[in-house]
Amino acid sequence: GAVVSQHPSRVICKSGTSVKIECRSLDFQATTMFWYRQFPKKSLMLMATSNEGSKATYEQGVEKDKFLINHASLTLSTLTVTSAHPEDSSFYICSVQRETGEEQYFGPGTRLTVT
Amino acid sequence: AQSVTQLGSHVSVSEGALVLLRCNYSSSVPPYLFWYVQYPNQGLQLLLKYTSAATLVKGINGFEAEFKKSETSFHLTKPSAHMSDAAEYFCAVSRDYSSASKIIFGSGTRLSIRP
């Protein structure tokens, strides 16, 4: 069965609004969660790494004030795209890691369309 | 720094034919290497991984990959293609499994299967 879930699977929002994407680890408590962004016909780009109870570490070029990450518990991380614009339209994928030294399990992704 | 290069953004083979997807890596340390598959509008599924044990790695769905240090390659193969193999395939590299290590993805290869 699925190890990681994401909600919603797809969302359409108007420009200027904010949208929240949830990532849940279903099978285990995840010490680390990762957020990726995938542009059409492109590879995955790591946006940020988050550990429960601490601030996320953002990759170079990713605006932390625009992409708010909250790792509220060992099974839930949220990504909020604030003041979304059409260029934020993308496929967002999260992954979870049980412990340091273990592999990442990827979620099914969330397709965001900003009109 | 680590990187992966996937040769060929699109590969098309006939059903029953050999599948060969090429991946070359660059790493200053012994790498961990992965192949992931992504079906349309879905997240990534791990096909197989190399973690410095056997150089020939067998994965799911009949796929396998061989780590060749001399060629810095980790090509993915399957003896006989099936229609259900049509998907996007990503090669990836990491230093290890720790939470501090990022997974660096290649640009992906879209595999099409001809009836």
Side-chain angles (χ1 to χ4, degrees), chain A residues 94-108:
Chain A
C94 73
S95 69
V96 305
Q97 187 179 51
R98 191 201 314 255
E99 295 286 350
T100 299
E102 296 193 3
E103 69 181 82
Q104 295 181 31
Y105 294 89
F106 288 82

Side-chain angles (χ1 to χ4, degrees), chain B residues 3 16-17 20 25 32 41 43 46 51 86 88 105:
Chain B
S3 66
L20 171 61
Y25 71 90
Y32 282 51
N41 295 310
L46 181 66
T51 57
E88 189 86 18
F105 288 89

Side-chain angles (χ1 to χ4, degrees), chain A residues 24-41:
Chain A
R24 292 184 183 274
S25 178
L26 302 177
D27 281 6
F28 53 79
Q29 294 183 323
T31 57
T32 307
M33 290 186 171
F34 304 83
W35 285 97
Y36 294 84
R37 180 174 180 177
Q38 185 180 29
F39 292 96
K41 301 185 186 300

Side-chain angles (χ1 to χ4, degrees), chain B residues 63-78:
Chain B
F63 284 94
E64 63 181 36
E66 186 172 8
F67 173 72
K68 292 186 176 180
K69 185 178 179 179
S70 61
E71 299 177 7
T72 61
S73 68
F74 190 59
H75 302 331
L76 181 71
T77 61
K78 181 173 180 177

Side-chain angles (χ1 to χ4, degrees), chain A residues 6-20:
Chain A
Q6 284 186 237
H7 177 79
S9 58
R10 56 179 63 231
V11 57
I12 300 173
C13 71
K14 292 185 177 181
S15 186
T17 62
S18 296
V19 60
K20 180 184 289 187

Side-chain angles (χ1 to χ4, degrees), chain B residues 67-105:
Chain B
F67 173 72
K68 292 186 176 180
K69 185 178 179 179
S70 61
E71 299 177 7
T72 61
S73 68
F74 190 59
H75 302 331
L76 181 71
T77 61
K78 181 173 180 177
S80 178
H82 193 273
M83 296 299 291
S84 61
D85 294 327
E88 189 86 18
Y89 291 80
F90 293 96
C91 182
V93 64
S94 175
R95 288 176 175 267
D96 54 40
Y97 277 154
S98 77
S99 59
S101 293
K102 309 169 193 177
I103 294 180
I104 308 299
F105 288 89

